Amino acid sequence: MTRPKLTYFDAPVSRGEECRLALHIAGIDFEDERIQRESWAAMKEHTPYGALPVLTLPGHAPLGQSTAILVLIGRRHGLHPTDDFEAARHEGMMQHVEDLRAKINPTLHMADPEKQAAREALAAGYLPAWARFAERNIHGPFFAGDKLHVVDLKLHMVVRWLQGGKLDHIPATVFADFPKLLGVHDAVRDHPRVRDWYARK
Ligand SMILES: N[C@@H](CCC(=O)N[C@@H](CS)C(=O)NCC(=O)O)C(=O)O
């Protein structure tokens, strides 16, 4: 292999899309390998952690875990802080996003009325609390001010998911009272390299 390869499901969402965006923003020419759900079962056992995304760089074993992938890309291409404490602050927010996903993802496998009860409870309690804590850590317009970092891609993707209104029983307005959080979403959406990524689709 001569160029980096990012492997993820064939959808412009979640942890895979945030890694694709990071690679594109960094200006890296990468292979965008998209896996069909039918192929996944046979492939799962051969990935580092039994999950996607996976980044494969020439000369290295495949790398799993979206935060590790984003931090590596960010460090190499000026999209993650060089100061170790500030970097840890960014990684803390990335983990905050993963905590949210860990709360919502079990509901993806539920049926009503269990799903309705679980999601209404999240919308009434966990999600606004999550957003309040996120908000207090954001400088604006991006997480750390005027410059986009990989942490912003994770924040953008999760806000886009919830604002999209596709999770029934969770109102699309669940983050409406958190302008800095919505501001990160909008700042990433409007970034020229992000616009460029979606324009080429
Ligand atoms: N902590 C991992 C979670 C990865 C993960 O759960 N990926 C999902 C897709 S977003 C997946 O591979 N699901 C299929 C499966 O677990 O079999 C990360 O941040 O990359």
Side-chain angles (χ1 to χ4, degrees), residues 128-191:
W130 180 93
R132 187 164 48 81
F133 285 113
E135 187 87 354
R136 65 167 63 159
N137 286 284
I138 295 170
H139 291 310
F142 294 105
F143 174 70
D146 289 337
K147 183 181 179 318
L148 180 147
H149 294 88
V150 288
V151 63
D152 295 298
L153 303 175
K154 234 181 216 307
L155 280 166
H156 169 80
M157 208 54 63
V158 86
V159 172
R160 198 182 85 180
W161 185 34
L162 289 169
Q163 270 192 332
K166 289 195 177 139
L167 289 167
D168 47 352
H169 315 300
I170 297 181
T173 53
V174 69
F175 291 152
D177 293 337
F178 303 98
K180 287 184 173 177
L181 186 58
L182 298 185
V184 171
H185 168 274
D186 293 357
V188 171
R189 179 198 60 200
D190 296 341
H191 188 281

Side-chain angles (χ1 to χ4, degrees), residues 8-9 13-19 37 40-41 44 47 49-54 63-70 94-95 98 101 105 109 154:
Y8 191 66
F9 299 106
V13 297
S14 195
R15 300 172 176 110
E17 186 74 352
E18 61 207 24
C19 292
R37 283 279 169 186
W40 172 236
K44 182 177 172 78
T47 62
Y49 295 100
L52 297 176
V54 169
L63 178 67
Q65 298 292 353
S66 58
T67 297
I69 294 169
L70 288 171
M94 293 165 92
Q95 186 57 52
E98 288 302 317
R101 286 177 168 150
N105 286 353
H109 310 290
K154 234 181 216 307

Side-chain angles (χ1 to χ4, degrees), residues 17-28 30 73 77-79 147-150 152-153 188 191-197:
E17 186 74 352
E18 61 207 24
C19 292
R20 291 181 187 126
L21 282 174
L23 288 161
H24 182 70
I25 292 166
I28 299 168
F30 69 101
I73 298 166
H77 298 277
L79 298 169
K147 183 181 179 318
L148 180 147
H149 294 88
V150 288
D152 295 298
L153 303 175
V188 171
H191 188 281
R193 290 296 290 168
V194 174
R195 284 187 178 280
D196 180 57
W197 174 252

